[in-house]
Amino acid sequence: MDNYMLAKFIQEQRKKHNLTQEFLASEIGISRPTYMQIEQGERDLTITEARKLADIFSIAFTNFLQGKDSSAIVKIEKSKKSAKETEQEIRISVPQKNLNKFKEVLLYVLSKVGSKPNVGETVLYKLLYFIDFDYYEKFEEQLIGATYIKNHFGPTPVEFKAIVDDMIKKGEIAKVESKYFNHAQKKYLPVRDPDLTKLKDARELRHIDEVLARLSDKNAAELSVYSHEDVPWLVAEDNKPLDYEAVFYRAPKTSVRNYDEQD
């Protein structure tokens, strides 16, 4: 595959996985300007860099060099907008190592706040959303990097169901049907301890703790209202993925970054 086609393939993979140029540049050990040259087809990849990118995208090395996407796909059905529209699918692809990280972050969240009476499935959706999007606003890097779609009740992580079903099957978490103020509630309780080595550093753990301290006492309705005031949700189309880049246009009420301290 020539440089231009491979560059285009890399750019497509980066956007599909909701990764930034800064993140990938850091992961493969080069500067962002140098990485931009790769995406523009102006610089050859070294073997080491190519292997790292293939690993990040969860694509076999030989397939990566040929521009073939062999990453795992998680499918969800998109709800019908009208009787005339046919049923569609949103196809979401997440690097396998991030799926593993999703599991460990979820286990950690459950170990910290899962037993709270207000923390059911809907609250978990919002906590994961703010963990991901707040981290991206503050540090311009992915934490989990999950994909969230806009629905009536707020951002919903599309990978959640497939991951949770797998964890239940493996005995890593338990699902409990309960009620919260006479409303049916799905709760999840951890069966094993989280593997915190999957986190990149102490900053990620500290960030998760900060989000939980700030939001985990809110109920589903309160978090839904709060998420509906967030720019990524406001600008997204119904049943479409939320754009991480939209966090940089947040209003003060939902922003978590002090831009006055920036250069």
Side-chain angles (χ1 to χ4, degrees), residues 7 10-11 14 20-22 24-26 28 30-40 43 45 53 57:
I10 292 170
Q11 186 180 77
R14 174 177 63 79
T20 63
Q21 292 178 334
E22 291 92 343
L24 289 180
S26 174
I28 66 176
I30 60 176
S31 67
R32 183 187 178 190
T34 301
Y35 176 83
M36 290 173 65
Q37 290 180 328
I38 293 172
E39 284 200 357
Q40 293 165 0
R43 178 184 179 277
L45 280 169
L53 286 175
F57 298 143

Side-chain angles (χ1 to χ4, degrees), residues 151-168:
N151 70 30
H152 178 69
F153 298 104
T156 301
V158 299
E159 300 90 358
F160 187 90
K161 185 179 186 304
I163 290 174
V164 164
D165 287 348
D166 181 63
M167 294 176 74
I168 292 173

Side-chain angles (χ1 to χ4, degrees), residues 107-121:
L107 279 167
Y108 181 73
V109 170
L110 292 175
S111 71
K112 297 285 286 187
V113 302
S115 61
K116 290 186 176 183
N118 62 300
V119 179
E121 187 174 72

Side-chain angles (χ1 to χ4, degrees), residues 195-252:
D195 179 5
L196 298 182
T197 64
K198 299 297 183 184
L199 296 181
K200 184 178 179 180
D201 50 34
R203 184 176 73 179
E204 291 189 340
L205 186 62
R206 185 166 59 251
H207 169 77
I208 295 170
D209 285 338
E210 289 171 355
V211 172
L212 296 181
R214 191 174 90 247
L215 300 176
S216 67
D217 287 330
K218 296 182 181 295
N219 61 35
E222 291 171 329
L223 282 174
S224 290
V225 170
Y226 183 57
S227 67
H228 289 183
E229 297 172 327
D230 202 18
V231 169
W233 187 88
L234 288 170
V235 301
E237 296 181 30
D238 289 344
N239 301 306
K240 292 292 183 67
L242 277 62
D243 184 359
Y244 276 83
E245 296 295 326
V247 295
F248 302 116
Y249 301 93
R250 279 173 157 174

